[in-house]
Amino acid sequence: MKTILYVEDHPPARMLMRAIIEDLTDFSLIEAADGAQAAALAGQHQPDLYLLDMDLPDTDGLQLSQTLTAIHTAPVVLVSAYAEAITPDRLNEQVQFYIAKPLDPDHVADTLRRAIP
């Protein structure tokens, strides 16, 4: 089973993602509401993938991707209600995938399976 650390400050969005991932038997989910909590959990759990909202109260998803991958290397998938904010030039070695909101369960499942080696 692969572990995903999902960082999202909006409780309804976390609830929806949790419901989507619960239907996928090959993943387990750890949740954080901000970057500071995510950093603590990354060191503790060493997840297989980071799923990061772009707009967090204490940082943004791109900055947080650098912080988390310095703690523990894992692929990063960005999530944003503003898909235009995630342009190809903003993707990098760690951030190669993104998911636009509203969340489509099939797209989420496909992206997660492609992102985790």
Side-chain angles (χ1 to χ4, degrees):
M1 180 162 302
K2 303 292 184 174
T3 301
I4 297 170
L5 174 55
Y6 180 41
V7 187
E8 167 64 67
D9 63 315
H10 191 60
R14 281 199 313 268
M15 227 166 75
L16 178 56
M17 185 65 78
R18 185 180 323 120
I20 292 169
I21 291 177
E22 283 175 354
D23 285 342
L24 307 173
T25 58
D26 42 349
F27 299 110
S28 65
L29 188 67
I30 300 166
E31 299 174 37
D34 59 38
Q37 185 181 23
L41 291 171
Q44 182 180 0
H45 294 280
Q46 299 187 342
D48 297 292
L49 181 124
Y50 299 113
L51 187 58
L52 310 177
D53 185 56
M54 274 294 290
D55 187 25
L56 297 165
D58 60 345
T59 187
D60 71 45
L62 287 170
Q63 288 177 323
L64 185 56
S65 72
Q66 294 172 347
T67 301
L68 295 179
T69 56
I71 295 169
H72 171 74
T73 302
V76 176
V77 175
L78 294 177
V79 181
S80 179
Y82 308 101
E84 64 275 2
I86 308 173
T87 58
D89 61 309
R90 296 187 80 184
L91 303 181
N92 58 38
E93 191 172 297
Q94 285 84 29
V95 183
Q96 298 178 349
F97 300 95
Y98 66 90
I99 297 170
K101 295 178 184 177
L103 299 175
D104 172 273
D106 292 331
H107 180 66
V108 170
D110 180 59
T111 301
L112 296 178
R113 289 190 176 111
R114 287 186 302 128
I116 296 178

